[in-house]
């Protein structure tokens, strides 16, 4: 009997098996498509600042500069080929300067950086990087060579410092060097065993001021004080002197009994000696003498003046002590502090006093860095967790200001197995600031700061970038080949030989 064409055909087992295989293939293909879409979405999420990218492209085209990479290429992390010299095709390492005069006070913390840190405002990022480079200069120009007769000094005089380090683009001029005395009775193996320019003093930083062009761009005359971090053995010894000590205060006796800071930091800031060449006056007296002089000159000229104090590690602690003294000595002066990896400095009364003096403090810290957790890394954390009452104790250390917290894991270029010293390195801080967008945002894909700088004094970059570790050092370790074919240690140019200020030199003579 012939089968009707409209009668349903019963599926055979072989047909069912083929249907299942086809369904399985379709599901696998669909999952692959979804996976690729999610991956593309993640990569696209890095372009949360796509408007900034378009703006940069427009600016580059106006300036006659065409980017040599496509947008798709920029989505990928840089590789070793990114560091092969390509001449004028290589991307500049700094952005174009913008006029920030309309909101300079907010950028420097007049509103505690409210709404400016998450997401990070590009103008705030540029200013943080600028002051961070001022601090980095105190390391790059420091004479670390223990065999040098000038070990512990600056390798350049103040007129050449920014020229030698490529910082003239910031538009500031160095006015004075600061020397600090950190001489203490330490074991013999820690003492200097060679004849040096000074057995008691070390170069700790400098005072600089913005020139006319830069002052117009930033909306005021900016005085900068940059403080170096710990280098000398005696400075490490002072860092470990964690006893709280009364700080000099111009207020009433009650304030004097309450306001305390770390003994070692205060010693470096305040110490002086009649028989020293560079510290007949303390670092405190040197910096305040110069700041007061500059403030008087520019305010009498009718200009608006600000004081920005910046430092890394120990330098961040000295910056707070400097800000405290400046605020009590020069009432009404706009003062801000930008510190990197700074430790705790004083007690609760010290923090309250800084807030009363309206000192705007931005603490840039890395999550993996241990230094911002000291002094009191154990005691403070335990007391804060036990009770709200213990957090009000006046004999434990307290941080000051607004915190900008960075995380090494957010950068695709940094090693995840970093050591303690690497996490504290200032160039690592500047790299993370350059790539920071916000707390829950990916690393900035169009960050401009040169990645190779991270390995200047560390080994923090991933191996696939092939950047040597600790590459920033003197060629041939400071030796030069003279005209007679001998390798010798060159003598410094007369203008680069460290010398105290005119007043100090006349007293010494």
């Amino acid at each position: 009997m012939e089968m009707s064409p409209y009668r349903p055909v019963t599926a055979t087992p072989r047909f069912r098996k083929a249907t299942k295989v086809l369904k399985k293939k379709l599901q696998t293909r669909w999952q692959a498509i979804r996976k690729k879409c999610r991956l593309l979405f993640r990569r696209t999420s890095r372009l949360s600042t796509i408007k900034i990218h378009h703006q940069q492209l427009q600016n580059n085209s106006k300036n006659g500069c065409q980017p040599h990479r496509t947008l798709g290429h920029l989505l990928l992390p840089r590789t070793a080929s990114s560091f092969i010299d390509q001449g004028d095709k290589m991307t500049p390492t700094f952005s174009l300067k913008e006029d920030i005069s309309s909101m300079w006070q907010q950028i420097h913390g007049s509103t505690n950086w409210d709404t400016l840190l998450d997401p990070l405002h590009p103008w705030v990022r540029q200013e943080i990087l600028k002051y961070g480079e001022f601090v980095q200069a105190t390391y790059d120009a420091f004479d670390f060579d223990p065999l040098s007769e000038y070990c512990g000094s600056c390798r350049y005089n103040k007129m050449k410092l920014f020229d030698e380090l490529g910082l003239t683009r910031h538009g500031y001029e160095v006015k004075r060097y600061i020397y600090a005395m950190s001489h203490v009775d330490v074991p013999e193996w820690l003492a200097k065993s060679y004849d040096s320019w000074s057995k008691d003093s070390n170069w700790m930083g400098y005072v600089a001021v913005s020139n006319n062009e830069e002052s117009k761009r930033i909306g005021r005359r900016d005085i900068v004080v940059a403080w170096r971090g710990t280098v000398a053995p005696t400075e490490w010894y002072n860092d470990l002197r964690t006893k709280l000590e009364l700080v000099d205060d111009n207020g009433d006796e009650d304030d004097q009994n309450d306001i305390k800071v770390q003994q070692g930091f205060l010693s470096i800031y305040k110490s002086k000696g009649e028989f020293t060449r560079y510290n007949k006056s303390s670092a405190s007296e040197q910096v305040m003498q110069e700041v007061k002089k500059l403030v008087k000159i520019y305010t009498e000229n009718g200009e608006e003046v600000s004081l920005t104090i910046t430092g890394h590690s120990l330098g961040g602690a000295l910056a707070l002590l400097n800000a405290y003294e400046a605020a009590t000595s020069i009432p009404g002066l706009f003062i801000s502090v930008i510190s990197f990896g700074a430790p705790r400095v004083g007690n609760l009364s010290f923090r309250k006093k800084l807030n009363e003096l309206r000192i705007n403090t931005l603490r840039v810290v890395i999550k993996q860095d241990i230094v911002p957790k000291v002094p009191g890394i154990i005691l403070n954390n335990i007391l804060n967790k036990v009770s709200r009452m213990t957090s009000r104790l006046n004999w434990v250390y307290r941080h000051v200001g607004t915190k900008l917290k960075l995380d090494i894991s957010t950068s695709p270029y940094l090693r995840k197995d970093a050591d303690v010293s690497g996490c504290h390195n200032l160039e690592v801080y500047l790299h993370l600031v350059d790539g920071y967008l916000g707390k829950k945002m990916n690393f900035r894909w169009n960050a401009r700061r040169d990645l190779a700088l991270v390995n200047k004094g560390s080994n923090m970059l991933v191996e696939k970038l092939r950047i040597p570790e600790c590459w920033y050092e003197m060629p041939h370790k400071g030796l030069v080949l003279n005209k007679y074919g001998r390798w010798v240690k060159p003598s410094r140019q007369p203008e680069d030989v460290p010398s105290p200020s005119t007043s100090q030199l006349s007293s010494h003579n």
Side-chain angles (χ1 to χ4, degrees), residues 409-473:
S409 64
T410 59
S411 171
Y413 309 110
L414 297 181
R415 296 172 48 190
K416 303 304 181 283
D417 58 341
D419 56 17
V420 175
S421 61
C423 295
H424 188 56
N425 188 278
L426 179 55
E427 283 290 358
V428 175
Y429 270 85
L430 300 184
H431 166 70
L432 291 174
V433 169
D434 192 36
Y436 183 81
L437 287 172
K439 291 181 180 178
K440 297 183 180 180
M441 303 173 73
N442 291 329
F443 197 81
R444 191 166 68 112
W445 65 269
N446 56 349
R448 286 178 171 268
R449 187 170 177 80
D450 193 349
L451 282 176
L453 293 174
V454 173
N455 268 16
K456 259 167 97 172
S458 68
N459 184 27
M460 289 292 292
L461 290 176
V462 292
E463 291 184 5
K464 67 180 180 180
L465 294 177
R466 301 179 186 176
I467 299 298
E469 61 178 288
C470 301
W471 56 261
Y472 189 83
E473 59 181 19

Side-chain angles (χ1 to χ4, degrees), residues 142-160:
F142 190 80
D143 191 342
F144 289 93
D145 185 5
L147 302 177
S148 170
E149 61 180 316
Y150 302 116
C151 181
S153 69
C154 179
R155 292 190 283 118
Y156 314 108
N157 71 73
K158 64 183 181 182
M159 303 303 295
K160 293 170 56 179

Side-chain angles (χ1 to χ4, degrees), residues 213-409:
E213 183 179 356
E214 179 68 4
S215 297
K216 182 178 179 181
R217 184 187 76 85
I218 61 180
R220 84 283 185 194
R221 185 72 66 169
D222 186 32
I223 302 170
V224 173
V225 181
W227 294 93
R228 173 180 57 76
T230 305
V231 171
T234 51
E235 292 166 2
W236 282 108
Y237 183 86
N238 276 312
D239 289 351
L240 298 175
R241 297 166 63 189
T242 58
K243 179 182 177 182
L244 281 167
E245 183 176 313
L246 291 173
V247 62
D248 294 335
D249 182 55
N250 296 326
D252 55 37
E253 294 183 357
D254 291 337
D255 285 338
Q256 289 181 351
N257 292 331
D258 288 339
I259 301 176
K260 297 181 179 181
V261 296
Q262 202 251 38
Q263 185 183 50
F265 301 152
L266 188 63
S267 173
I268 294 175
Y269 186 65
K270 291 285 189 178
S271 293
K272 60 181 178 179
E274 183 61 31
F275 298 102
T276 65
R277 184 178 182 186
Y278 292 85
N279 276 113
K280 292 184 181 299
S281 59
S282 65
S284 163
E285 293 169 341
Q286 294 169 44
V287 66
M288 288 310 303
Q289 180 183 359
E290 188 66 21
V291 168
K292 288 178 180 178
K293 182 181 76 173
L294 293 173
V295 169
K296 182 179 180 181
I297 290 174
Y298 294 115
T299 52
E300 289 181 351
N301 196 36
E303 299 185 46
E304 190 170 11
V305 181
S306 71
L307 174 62
T308 308
I309 311 174
T310 183
H312 170 248
S313 190
L314 164 65
L318 297 178
L320 277 181
L321 296 176
N322 188 184
Y324 172 81
E325 184 176 18
T328 54
S329 303
I330 315 174
L333 179 63
F334 189 98
I335 301 174
S336 58
V337 175
I338 299 178
S339 66
F340 302 86
R344 300 182 179 104
V345 178
N347 61 2
L348 183 61
S349 294
F350 180 66
R351 182 174 71 180
K352 288 181 177 178
K353 188 64 177 180
L354 291 179
N355 292 336
E356 291 175 7
L357 294 171
R358 301 182 66 121
I359 297 174
N360 309 310
T361 304
L362 178 63
R363 292 192 305 114
V364 185
V365 299
I366 291 178
K367 176 182 177 181
Q368 294 81 1
D369 188 3
I370 194 175
V371 175
K373 299 178 176 66
V374 298
I377 185 172
I378 298 177
L379 180 62
N380 281 57
N381 293 341
I382 292 177
L383 290 177
N384 287 339
K385 291 180 179 180
V386 169
S387 170
R388 291 183 180 180
M389 294 297 295
T390 56
S391 64
R392 300 177 184 178
L393 295 175
N394 205 32
W395 48 270
V396 293
Y397 286 91
R398 289 288 174 264
H399 269 306
V400 178
T402 303
K403 179 171 67 173
L404 174 60
K405 191 174 183 179
L406 309 173
D407 191 341
I408 284 178
S409 64

